[in-house]
Amino acid sequence: MHNCVAHRLSRFIMLSAVALCSLFGLWIGSHTHVYGLPGVYVYGPEGLHRHPPDGAPVPEADLIPNKFTIQIMTYKRPAHLMAVINHHVHAPSLHKIVVIWQHTLKTFHAARLHSALQKLPKPVEVVIAGTNDVTNRWRRQPPTRTKAVFNIDDDAMVDIADLEGAFQVWQQYPDRVLGFYERVIFLDELEGAYLYSYDAGVVSPEKYAMVIGKAWFAGPSILDLADTADPLFMRFSAFLHNTSRESKGCDDIAWNYFLHLKGAPEPLSLYGVSMTNVLTHEMKSTGYSVRSENGAAWVPYRHACINRLHQALGLSKPSLPKAPLQTAFLPSTTLI
């Protein structure tokens, strides 16, 4: 009698689990896939399965050359995220949007984005990162099927025509990062320190250039450099995620240093792009719990990033190309 009851209970639990998986898969919908860690898992109409089987990115030779993927890394800002997705999803050359959800699967469910994502004209796939690892956007994510990846912050929107034009420019330089904003790191002789500046015309005997992380195009030759088993990558990751000192807002500076140390070609700076911000509570903030470029504390924070990065890596000067960077122009841009 006891064995019979136990058997029936076990069967009931198993059937209930199968039913819940099926309902969950239907709830997500055919247009929205959610990838979870460890490994890479997709939730679809057929339930939970791993995709691709080894969780690895698609081989470069199999990537689509004439479309691009939009990659958006986000942390606890679903309203911002949906505004950015709804704007960019209409780009004609877009293949899909890949969201890097910098939190848990539970918080993704709680955000209740599923029904909105299902109604979009292009696929949106969600990688569940589990933690707020800012180096995730340095890498090609497994759902990506295109050579070109356009990375954009979850609070920024680029004019669609400009985005298409930028994609055309990147196709001429597929082995380089095409950045939308150039910044300068220069030697301040009075302070005896390297400082961060928006002004490429700043006077200094030493000037180095970088592109910020807000918006850029890159391909596999750049994104595949960020190998999590690489000792250099691990040093950068340890610096950015040091729990004793908040450094996540330094991630684009660190990425530029990392690429230069890996021997990547210097980035291009794109001229003429129209970009707007998603505003909330009258002040824009980044997803890293630090002030944005509009905040008074941002520049001193970036100064500190540079000096702490040099200390962590044992550098005496910036590991960056000399300023200014080579400039590229949108196809419709004319100079007067």
Side-chain angles (χ1 to χ4, degrees), residues 46 51 58 81 85 134 181 214 224 232 264 273 298-299 301:
E46 64 280 8
H51 182 84
V58 174
L81 173 66
I85 289 175
V134 294
Y181 290 98
K214 181 167 289 293
D224 290 353
L232 180 62
V273 176
W298 181 245
V299 172
Y301 176 89

Side-chain angles (χ1 to χ4, degrees), residues 258-318:
F258 173 76
L259 293 179
H260 193 69
L261 287 170
K262 295 296 289 186
E266 72 175 52
L268 286 164
S269 177
L270 186 64
Y271 176 86
V273 176
S274 298
M275 185 179 296
T276 56
N277 293 310
V278 179
L279 299 176
T280 301
H281 304 304
E282 300 181 356
M283 184 182 77
K284 184 175 74 67
S285 62
T286 72
Y288 311 134
S289 301
V290 295
R291 292 254 181 153
S292 74
E293 294 209 348
N294 292 335
W298 181 245
V299 172
Y301 176 89
R302 302 285 264 184
H303 294 340
C305 284
I306 295 162
N307 290 289
R308 293 204 310 268
L309 186 59
H310 287 189
Q311 292 172 11
L313 297 175
L315 298 174
S316 59
K317 60 177 58 181

Side-chain angles (χ1 to χ4, degrees), residues 82-294:
M82 284 309 304
V84 174
I85 289 175
N86 283 323
H87 173 76
H88 293 101
V89 76
H90 300 288
S93 299
L94 174 66
H95 180 247
K96 70 171 69 168
I97 294 175
V98 173
V99 173
I100 306 173
W101 187 264
Q102 297 281 89
H103 214 280
T104 63
L105 184 61
K106 181 179 180 180
T107 61
F108 177 75
H109 295 332
R112 301 182 181 277
L113 302 178
H114 314 89
S115 59
L117 295 177
Q118 291 175 39
K119 299 172 184 177
L120 297 172
K122 299 284 180 70
V124 177
E125 301 186 335
V126 184
V127 173
I128 304 298
T131 60
N132 190 16
D133 182 345
V134 294
T135 66
N136 283 327
R137 67 174 171 181
W138 297 15
R139 296 188 292 277
R140 191 157 53 97
Q141 296 298 316
T144 303
R145 297 290 182 271
T146 60
K147 288 188 176 180
V149 172
F150 175 62
N151 180 87
I152 188 162
D153 279 1
D154 66 356
D155 63 357
M157 296 186 292
V158 176
D159 176 82
I160 295 299
D162 289 354
L163 178 57
E164 290 288 326
F167 177 47
Q168 293 178 36
V169 173
W170 178 84
Q171 288 178 304
Q172 301 173 44
Y173 306 94
D175 63 336
R176 299 169 74 173
V177 176
L178 180 67
F180 287 17
Y181 290 98
E182 179 179 352
R183 297 290 182 259
V184 171
I185 293 175
F186 69 97
L187 176 63
D188 186 313
E189 292 184 287
L190 292 178
E191 293 196 23
Y194 290 98
L195 304 179
Y196 178 86
S197 175
Y198 307 131
D199 184 8
V202 64
V203 177
S204 171
E206 290 185 44
K207 293 199 303 183
Y208 303 87
M210 56 165 279
V211 293
I212 65 171
K214 181 167 289 293
W216 45 261
F217 268 100
S221 64
I222 294 293
L223 298 175
D224 290 353
L225 291 174
D227 181 351
T228 55
D230 176 4
L232 180 62
F233 174 86
M234 289 190 284
R235 290 180 69 187
F236 276 92
S237 183
F239 165 76
L240 292 169
H241 301 101
N242 185 340
T243 55
S244 65
R245 190 73 180 268
E246 202 290 320
S247 298
K248 290 179 180 177
C250 309
D251 81 295
D252 56 344
I253 296 177
W255 186 52
N256 279 263
Y257 273 60
F258 173 76
L259 293 179
H260 193 69
L261 287 170
K262 295 296 289 186
E266 72 175 52
L268 286 164
S269 177
L270 186 64
Y271 176 86
V273 176
S274 298
M275 185 179 296
T276 56
N277 293 310
V278 179
L279 299 176
T280 301
H281 304 304
E282 300 181 356
M283 184 182 77
K284 184 175 74 67
S285 62
T286 72
Y288 311 134
S289 301
V290 295
R291 292 254 181 153
S292 74
E293 294 209 348
N294 292 335

